[in-house]
Short mmCIF file of all heavy atoms in Angstrom, two decimals:
data_model
loop_
_atom_site.label_atom_id
_atom_site.label_comp_id
_atom_site.label_asym_id
_atom_site.label_seq_id
_atom_site.Cartn_x
_atom_site.Cartn_y
_atom_site.Cartn_z
N GLU A 190 -19.38 25.20 -6.58
CA GLU A 190 -20.46 26.20 -6.52
C GLU A 190 -21.62 25.83 -7.46
O GLU A 190 -22.79 25.92 -7.07
CB GLU A 190 -19.92 27.59 -6.90
CG GLU A 190 -19.04 28.25 -5.84
CD GLU A 190 -17.62 27.68 -5.78
OE1 GLU A 190 -17.25 26.88 -6.70
OE2 GLU A 190 -16.89 28.01 -4.84
N ILE A 191 -21.28 25.41 -8.69
CA ILE A 191 -22.37 25.08 -9.63
C ILE A 191 -23.10 23.80 -9.20
O ILE A 191 -24.32 23.68 -9.35
CB ILE A 191 -21.85 24.97 -11.08
CG1 ILE A 191 -23.05 24.96 -12.05
CG2 ILE A 191 -20.98 23.75 -11.30
CD1 ILE A 191 -22.67 25.13 -13.51
N ASN A 192 -22.36 22.88 -8.63
CA ASN A 192 -22.97 21.64 -8.14
C ASN A 192 -23.99 21.95 -7.03
O ASN A 192 -25.12 21.44 -7.05
CB ASN A 192 -21.89 20.70 -7.61
CG ASN A 192 -22.42 19.33 -7.27
OD1 ASN A 192 -22.87 18.59 -8.14
ND2 ASN A 192 -22.39 18.99 -5.99
N GLU A 193 -23.58 22.79 -6.07
CA GLU A 193 -24.47 23.17 -4.96
C GLU A 193 -25.68 23.93 -5.47
O GLU A 193 -26.80 23.75 -4.97
CB GLU A 193 -23.70 24.02 -3.94
CG GLU A 193 -22.66 23.24 -3.15
CD GLU A 193 -23.29 22.12 -2.33
OE1 GLU A 193 -24.13 22.43 -1.46
OE2 GLU A 193 -22.95 20.95 -2.58
N LEU A 194 -25.49 24.79 -6.48
CA LEU A 194 -26.58 25.58 -7.04
C LEU A 194 -27.61 24.67 -7.73
O LEU A 194 -28.82 24.86 -7.59
CB LEU A 194 -26.03 26.62 -8.03
CG LEU A 194 -27.05 27.58 -8.66
CD1 LEU A 194 -27.80 28.37 -7.59
CD2 LEU A 194 -26.33 28.54 -9.61
N ILE A 195 -27.12 23.69 -8.49
CA ILE A 195 -28.02 22.74 -9.17
C ILE A 195 -28.89 22.01 -8.14
O ILE A 195 -30.11 21.92 -8.28
CB ILE A 195 -27.20 21.72 -10.00
CG1 ILE A 195 -26.57 22.40 -11.22
CG2 ILE A 195 -28.09 20.56 -10.45
CD1 ILE A 195 -25.51 21.56 -11.92
N ILE A 196 -28.26 21.52 -7.09
CA ILE A 196 -28.98 20.77 -6.05
C ILE A 196 -30.02 21.66 -5.38
O ILE A 196 -31.18 21.27 -5.19
CB ILE A 196 -28.00 20.20 -5.01
CG1 ILE A 196 -27.08 19.15 -5.67
CG2 ILE A 196 -28.75 19.58 -3.83
CD1 ILE A 196 -25.87 18.78 -4.84
N LYS A 197 -29.60 22.90 -5.03
CA LYS A 197 -30.50 23.84 -4.34
C LYS A 197 -31.72 24.15 -5.21
O LYS A 197 -32.87 24.14 -4.73
CB LYS A 197 -29.74 25.12 -4.01
CG LYS A 197 -30.58 26.16 -3.29
CD LYS A 197 -29.79 27.44 -3.05
CE LYS A 197 -30.66 28.50 -2.42
NZ LYS A 197 -29.91 29.78 -2.25
N MET A 198 -31.49 24.42 -6.51
CA MET A 198 -32.60 24.79 -7.40
C MET A 198 -33.57 23.63 -7.61
O MET A 198 -34.79 23.81 -7.63
CB MET A 198 -32.06 25.28 -8.75
CG MET A 198 -31.38 26.64 -8.65
SD MET A 198 -30.64 27.21 -10.21
CE MET A 198 -32.11 27.62 -11.17
N LEU A 199 -33.04 22.41 -7.74
CA LEU A 199 -33.92 21.26 -7.98
C LEU A 199 -34.66 20.84 -6.71
O LEU A 199 -35.79 20.35 -6.79
CB LEU A 199 -33.13 20.09 -8.56
CG LEU A 199 -32.70 20.28 -10.01
CD1 LEU A 199 -31.83 19.13 -10.49
CD2 LEU A 199 -33.91 20.43 -10.94
N LYS A 200 -34.05 21.07 -5.55
CA LYS A 200 -34.76 20.74 -4.31
C LYS A 200 -35.97 21.66 -4.11
O LYS A 200 -36.92 21.30 -3.40
CB LYS A 200 -33.82 20.82 -3.11
CG LYS A 200 -32.92 19.59 -3.01
CD LYS A 200 -32.24 19.47 -1.66
CE LYS A 200 -31.53 18.11 -1.56
NZ LYS A 200 -30.88 17.90 -0.25
N ALA A 201 -35.92 22.83 -4.74
CA ALA A 201 -37.04 23.77 -4.65
C ALA A 201 -38.05 23.58 -5.77
O ALA A 201 -39.08 24.25 -5.83
CB ALA A 201 -36.51 25.21 -4.69
N GLN A 202 -37.78 22.63 -6.67
CA GLN A 202 -38.62 22.43 -7.85
C GLN A 202 -39.49 21.18 -7.68
O GLN A 202 -39.08 20.20 -7.08
CB GLN A 202 -37.74 22.25 -9.10
CG GLN A 202 -38.52 22.19 -10.40
CD GLN A 202 -37.58 22.28 -11.60
OE1 GLN A 202 -36.63 23.05 -11.57
NE2 GLN A 202 -37.84 21.50 -12.62
N GLU A 203 -40.72 21.25 -8.21
CA GLU A 203 -41.61 20.09 -8.14
C GLU A 203 -41.17 19.05 -9.16
O GLU A 203 -40.75 19.37 -10.26
CB GLU A 203 -43.06 20.50 -8.42
CG GLU A 203 -43.70 21.23 -7.26
CD GLU A 203 -45.20 21.41 -7.45
OE1 GLU A 203 -45.79 20.69 -8.28
OE2 GLU A 203 -45.77 22.28 -6.77
N MET A 204 -41.31 17.78 -8.76
CA MET A 204 -40.94 16.68 -9.66
C MET A 204 -42.06 16.45 -10.68
O MET A 204 -43.21 16.82 -10.45
CB MET A 204 -40.74 15.40 -8.82
CG MET A 204 -40.15 14.23 -9.58
SD MET A 204 -39.99 12.76 -8.55
CE MET A 204 -41.64 12.08 -8.69
N ARG A 205 -41.69 15.85 -11.80
CA ARG A 205 -42.70 15.42 -12.76
C ARG A 205 -43.68 14.49 -12.08
O ARG A 205 -43.34 13.82 -11.12
CB ARG A 205 -42.04 14.64 -13.91
CG ARG A 205 -41.15 15.48 -14.76
CD ARG A 205 -40.31 14.58 -15.64
NE ARG A 205 -39.36 15.39 -16.37
CZ ARG A 205 -39.64 15.97 -17.52
NH1 ARG A 205 -40.81 15.81 -18.08
NH2 ARG A 205 -38.75 16.71 -18.13
N ASP A 206 -44.89 14.40 -12.65
CA ASP A 206 -45.92 13.58 -12.02
C ASP A 206 -45.65 12.09 -12.23
O ASP A 206 -45.61 11.62 -13.35
CB ASP A 206 -47.29 13.94 -12.59
CG ASP A 206 -48.40 13.28 -11.81
OD1 ASP A 206 -48.10 12.63 -10.80
OD2 ASP A 206 -49.57 13.43 -12.20
N ALA A 207 -45.45 11.39 -11.11
CA ALA A 207 -45.19 9.95 -11.20
C ALA A 207 -46.48 9.14 -11.14
O ALA A 207 -46.46 7.93 -11.23
CB ALA A 207 -44.26 9.52 -10.06
N ARG A 208 -47.63 9.82 -10.99
CA ARG A 208 -48.89 9.09 -10.84
C ARG A 208 -49.60 8.86 -12.18
O ARG A 208 -50.51 8.07 -12.27
CB ARG A 208 -49.83 9.85 -9.90
CG ARG A 208 -49.41 9.78 -8.45
CD ARG A 208 -50.38 10.53 -7.56
NE ARG A 208 -51.73 10.01 -7.65
CZ ARG A 208 -52.78 10.61 -7.13
NH1 ARG A 208 -52.65 11.77 -6.51
NH2 ARG A 208 -53.98 10.08 -7.24
N GLY A 209 -49.21 9.58 -13.22
CA GLY A 209 -49.85 9.40 -14.51
C GLY A 209 -49.43 8.11 -15.18
O GLY A 209 -48.63 7.34 -14.64
N ALA A 210 -49.98 7.86 -16.36
CA ALA A 210 -49.60 6.67 -17.12
C ALA A 210 -48.13 6.79 -17.55
O ALA A 210 -47.67 7.86 -17.93
CB ALA A 210 -50.50 6.52 -18.34
N PHE A 211 -47.42 5.68 -17.49
CA PHE A 211 -45.99 5.66 -17.82
C PHE A 211 -45.76 6.01 -19.30
O PHE A 211 -46.46 5.51 -20.18
CB PHE A 211 -45.44 4.27 -17.53
CG PHE A 211 -44.05 4.03 -18.06
CD1 PHE A 211 -42.95 4.62 -17.47
CD2 PHE A 211 -43.85 3.22 -19.19
CE1 PHE A 211 -41.67 4.41 -17.96
CE2 PHE A 211 -42.58 2.99 -19.68
CZ PHE A 211 -41.49 3.59 -19.07
N ARG A 212 -44.76 6.88 -19.54
CA ARG A 212 -44.38 7.23 -20.92
C ARG A 212 -42.87 7.49 -20.97
O ARG A 212 -42.36 8.30 -20.22
CB ARG A 212 -45.15 8.44 -21.41
CG ARG A 212 -44.71 8.87 -22.81
CD ARG A 212 -45.68 9.82 -23.50
NE ARG A 212 -45.98 11.04 -22.81
CZ ARG A 212 -46.21 12.22 -23.43
NH1 ARG A 212 -46.17 12.29 -24.75
NH2 ARG A 212 -46.50 13.29 -22.73
N LEU A 213 -42.19 6.77 -21.87
CA LEU A 213 -40.75 6.96 -22.05
C LEU A 213 -40.46 7.05 -23.55
O LEU A 213 -40.52 6.04 -24.26
CB LEU A 213 -39.96 5.80 -21.43
CG LEU A 213 -38.43 5.88 -21.55
CD1 LEU A 213 -37.78 5.29 -20.31
CD2 LEU A 213 -37.90 5.16 -22.77
N PRO A 214 -40.17 8.26 -24.07
CA PRO A 214 -39.74 8.38 -25.47
C PRO A 214 -38.31 7.82 -25.60
O PRO A 214 -37.43 8.20 -24.85
CB PRO A 214 -39.76 9.90 -25.71
CG PRO A 214 -40.61 10.47 -24.62
CD PRO A 214 -40.37 9.57 -23.44
N ILE A 215 -38.13 6.92 -26.53
CA ILE A 215 -36.86 6.20 -26.65
C ILE A 215 -35.84 7.04 -27.43
O ILE A 215 -36.14 7.50 -28.53
CB ILE A 215 -37.08 4.85 -27.35
CG1 ILE A 215 -37.95 3.95 -26.47
CG2 ILE A 215 -35.76 4.16 -27.68
CD1 ILE A 215 -38.51 2.74 -27.19
N ASP A 216 -34.65 7.23 -26.87
CA ASP A 216 -33.61 7.94 -27.63
C ASP A 216 -32.43 7.04 -27.97
O ASP A 216 -31.56 7.43 -28.74
CB ASP A 216 -33.16 9.23 -26.93
CG ASP A 216 -32.70 9.02 -25.52
OD1 ASP A 216 -31.91 8.09 -25.28
OD2 ASP A 216 -33.11 9.80 -24.64
N GLN A 217 -32.38 5.82 -27.40
CA GLN A 217 -31.32 4.87 -27.76
C GLN A 217 -31.87 3.45 -27.77
O GLN A 217 -32.66 3.09 -26.89
CB GLN A 217 -30.15 4.95 -26.78
CG GLN A 217 -29.34 6.22 -26.90
CD GLN A 217 -28.22 6.28 -25.87
OE1 GLN A 217 -28.32 5.70 -24.81
NE2 GLN A 217 -27.18 7.02 -26.18
N VAL A 218 -31.46 2.66 -28.77
CA VAL A 218 -31.82 1.25 -28.85
C VAL A 218 -30.53 0.46 -29.08
O VAL A 218 -29.75 0.80 -29.96
CB VAL A 218 -32.79 0.98 -30.03
CG1 VAL A 218 -33.22 -0.49 -30.04
CG2 VAL A 218 -34.01 1.88 -29.97
N PHE A 219 -30.31 -0.57 -28.29
CA PHE A 219 -29.10 -1.38 -28.48
C PHE A 219 -29.35 -2.79 -27.94
O PHE A 219 -30.42 -3.08 -27.39
CB PHE A 219 -27.89 -0.74 -27.80
CG PHE A 219 -28.09 -0.37 -26.35
CD1 PHE A 219 -27.69 -1.23 -25.34
CD2 PHE A 219 -28.67 0.85 -26.01
CE1 PHE A 219 -27.86 -0.89 -24.02
CE2 PHE A 219 -28.86 1.19 -24.68
CZ PHE A 219 -28.45 0.32 -23.68
N THR A 220 -28.40 -3.67 -28.15
CA THR A 220 -28.52 -5.03 -27.62
C THR A 220 -27.38 -5.30 -26.65
O THR A 220 -26.28 -4.74 -26.79
CB THR A 220 -28.47 -6.09 -28.75
OG1 THR A 220 -27.27 -5.90 -29.50
CG2 THR A 220 -29.68 -5.97 -29.65
N VAL A 221 -27.65 -6.14 -25.66
CA VAL A 221 -26.64 -6.56 -24.70
C VAL A 221 -26.54 -8.08 -24.80
O VAL A 221 -27.56 -8.77 -24.74
CB VAL A 221 -27.03 -6.16 -23.26
CG1 VAL A 221 -26.03 -6.72 -22.26
CG2 VAL A 221 -27.12 -4.64 -23.14
N LYS A 222 -25.33 -8.58 -24.98
CA LYS A 222 -25.13 -10.01 -25.16
C LYS A 222 -25.73 -10.79 -23.99
O LYS A 222 -25.47 -10.50 -22.84
CB LYS A 222 -23.63 -10.32 -25.28
CG LYS A 222 -23.34 -11.73 -25.75
CD LYS A 222 -21.85 -11.93 -26.01
CE LYS A 222 -21.57 -13.34 -26.52
NZ LYS A 222 -20.14 -13.56 -26.77
N GLY A 223 -26.56 -11.76 -24.34
CA GLY A 223 -27.19 -12.60 -23.33
C GLY A 223 -28.45 -12.00 -22.73
O GLY A 223 -29.17 -12.65 -21.98
N GLN A 224 -28.73 -10.71 -23.05
CA GLN A 224 -29.91 -10.05 -22.49
C GLN A 224 -30.96 -9.72 -23.56
O GLN A 224 -32.15 -9.76 -23.33
CB GLN A 224 -29.50 -8.75 -21.78
CG GLN A 224 -28.60 -8.95 -20.58
CD GLN A 224 -29.29 -9.63 -19.43
OE1 GLN A 224 -30.46 -9.39 -19.17
NE2 GLN A 224 -28.58 -10.52 -18.75
N GLY A 225 -30.47 -9.33 -24.76
CA GLY A 225 -31.40 -8.98 -25.83
C GLY A 225 -31.54 -7.48 -26.00
O GLY A 225 -30.59 -6.73 -25.77
N THR A 226 -32.74 -7.05 -26.37
CA THR A 226 -32.99 -5.65 -26.74
C THR A 226 -33.12 -4.75 -25.52
O THR A 226 -33.85 -5.07 -24.57
CB THR A 226 -34.27 -5.56 -27.58
OG1 THR A 226 -34.15 -6.45 -28.69
CG2 THR A 226 -34.48 -4.15 -28.09
N VAL A 227 -32.42 -3.62 -25.56
CA VAL A 227 -32.48 -2.63 -24.47
C VAL A 227 -32.81 -1.27 -25.07
O VAL A 227 -32.25 -0.89 -26.11
CB VAL A 227 -31.15 -2.55 -23.70
CG1 VAL A 227 -31.22 -1.49 -22.60
CG2 VAL A 227 -30.80 -3.91 -23.10
N VAL A 228 -33.72 -0.54 -24.43
CA VAL A 228 -34.03 0.84 -24.84
C VAL A 228 -33.69 1.77 -23.69
O VAL A 228 -33.71 1.37 -22.53
CB VAL A 228 -35.50 1.01 -25.24
CG1 VAL A 228 -35.85 0.13 -26.43
CG2 VAL A 228 -36.44 0.73 -24.08
N ARG A 229 -33.40 3.03 -24.05
CA ARG A 229 -33.04 3.99 -23.01
C ARG A 229 -33.72 5.31 -23.30
O ARG A 229 -33.93 5.69 -24.46
CB ARG A 229 -31.53 4.17 -22.95
CG ARG A 229 -31.08 5.07 -21.79
CD ARG A 229 -29.71 4.76 -21.28
NE ARG A 229 -28.71 4.61 -22.33
CZ ARG A 229 -27.54 4.03 -22.14
NH1 ARG A 229 -27.23 3.51 -20.97
NH2 ARG A 229 -26.66 3.93 -23.12
N GLY A 230 -34.05 6.03 -22.26
CA GLY A 230 -34.66 7.35 -22.41
C GLY A 230 -34.95 7.95 -21.05
O GLY A 230 -34.71 7.34 -20.01
N THR A 231 -35.48 9.17 -21.08
CA THR A 231 -35.90 9.85 -19.85
C THR A 231 -37.39 9.61 -19.66
O THR A 231 -38.17 9.83 -20.58
CB THR A 231 -35.63 11.37 -19.94
OG1 THR A 231 -34.23 11.57 -20.16
CG2 THR A 231 -36.04 12.07 -18.66
N ILE A 232 -37.79 9.16 -18.47
CA ILE A 232 -39.20 8.89 -18.21
C ILE A 232 -39.93 10.23 -18.07
O ILE A 232 -39.68 10.99 -17.14
CB ILE A 232 -39.38 8.04 -16.94
CG1 ILE A 232 -38.62 6.72 -17.08
CG2 ILE A 232 -40.86 7.77 -16.68
CD1 ILE A 232 -38.63 5.86 -15.84
N TYR A 233 -40.83 10.50 -19.03
CA TYR A 233 -41.59 11.77 -19.01
C TYR A 233 -42.56 11.82 -17.84
O TYR A 233 -42.73 12.85 -17.21
CB TYR A 233 -42.38 11.91 -20.31
CG TYR A 233 -41.66 12.60 -21.43
CD1 TYR A 233 -40.27 12.53 -21.55
CD2 TYR A 233 -42.35 13.32 -22.40
CE1 TYR A 233 -39.61 13.14 -22.58
CE2 TYR A 233 -41.70 13.94 -23.44
CZ TYR A 233 -40.34 13.86 -23.52
OH TYR A 233 -39.68 14.48 -24.55
N GLU A 234 -43.26 10.70 -17.62
CA GLU A 234 -44.29 10.68 -16.57
C GLU A 234 -44.57 9.24 -16.16
O GLU A 234 -44.26 8.30 -16.88
CB GLU A 234 -45.58 11.34 -17.07
CG GLU A 234 -46.11 10.74 -18.36
CD GLU A 234 -47.05 11.68 -19.09
OE1 GLU A 234 -47.80 12.39 -18.42
OE2 GLU A 234 -47.03 11.68 -20.33
N GLY A 235 -45.16 9.09 -14.96
CA GLY A 235 -45.51 7.76 -14.50
C GLY A 235 -44.33 6.98 -13.94
O GLY A 235 -43.24 7.50 -13.76
N THR A 236 -44.57 5.70 -13.69
CA THR A 236 -43.54 4.80 -13.18
C THR A 236 -43.60 3.50 -13.96
O THR A 236 -44.61 3.18 -14.57
CB THR A 236 -43.76 4.49 -11.68
OG1 THR A 236 -45.05 3.88 -11.53
CG2 THR A 236 -43.68 5.73 -10.83
N VAL A 237 -42.50 2.74 -13.92
CA VAL A 237 -42.46 1.43 -14.57
C VAL A 237 -41.84 0.44 -13.60
O VAL A 237 -40.92 0.77 -12.86
CB VAL A 237 -41.66 1.49 -15.89
CG1 VAL A 237 -40.22 1.90 -15.66
CG2 VAL A 237 -41.73 0.16 -16.64
N GLU A 238 -42.40 -0.78 -13.59
CA GLU A 238 -41.91 -1.83 -12.70
C GLU A 238 -41.38 -3.00 -13.50
O GLU A 238 -41.87 -3.29 -14.60
CB GLU A 238 -43.03 -2.32 -11.78
CG GLU A 238 -43.47 -1.30 -10.75
CD GLU A 238 -44.49 -1.89 -9.79
OE1 GLU A 238 -44.25 -3.01 -9.30
OE2 GLU A 238 -45.51 -1.23 -9.54
N GLU A 239 -40.43 -3.69 -12.91
CA GLU A 239 -39.89 -4.90 -13.52
C GLU A 239 -41.02 -5.92 -13.69
O GLU A 239 -41.82 -6.13 -12.78
CB GLU A 239 -38.80 -5.47 -12.63
CG GLU A 239 -37.83 -6.37 -13.36
CD GLU A 239 -36.59 -6.65 -12.53
OE1 GLU A 239 -36.69 -7.41 -11.55
OE2 GLU A 239 -35.54 -6.09 -12.83
N GLY A 240 -41.10 -6.50 -14.88
CA GLY A 240 -42.15 -7.48 -15.16
C GLY A 240 -43.41 -6.89 -15.74
O GLY A 240 -44.30 -7.61 -16.20
N GLN A 241 -43.51 -5.55 -15.77
CA GLN A 241 -44.74 -4.90 -16.26
C GLN A 241 -44.89 -5.07 -17.77
O GLN A 241 -43.94 -4.99 -18.52
CB GLN A 241 -44.69 -3.41 -15.90
CG GLN A 241 -45.98 -2.66 -16.17
CD GLN A 241 -45.93 -1.25 -15.63
OE1 GLN A 241 -45.04 -0.89 -14.87
NE2 GLN A 241 -46.89 -0.43 -16.02
N VAL A 242 -46.14 -5.30 -18.20
CA VAL A 242 -46.45 -5.37 -19.63
C VAL A 242 -46.63 -3.96 -20.17
O VAL A 242 -47.36 -3.15 -19.60
CB VAL A 242 -47.72 -6.21 -19.88
CG1 VAL A 242 -48.11 -6.18 -21.35
CG2 VAL A 242 -47.52 -7.64 -19.43
#
Side-chain angles (χ1 to χ4, degrees):
E190 287 77 10
I191 193 169
N192 188 65
E193 290 299 299
L194 183 58
I195 290 167
I196 295 166
K197 180 183 176 183
M198 290 177 72
L199 287 176
K200 282 195 172 182
Q202 187 169 320
E203 285 190 19
M204 189 182 84
R205 293 167 186 273
D206 189 4
R208 287 181 59 191
F211 169 73
R212 177 164 57 146
L213 180 145
I215 295 166
D216 55 47
Q217 289 178 333
V218 183
F219 52 96
T220 56
V221 175
K222 192 173 181 180
Q224 296 292 322
T226 306
V227 178
V228 298
R229 185 152 48 197
T231 301
I232 302 175
Y233 270 30
E234 55 201 323
T236 59
V237 61
E238 290 186 47
E239 202 166 73
Q241 188 172 348
V242 175

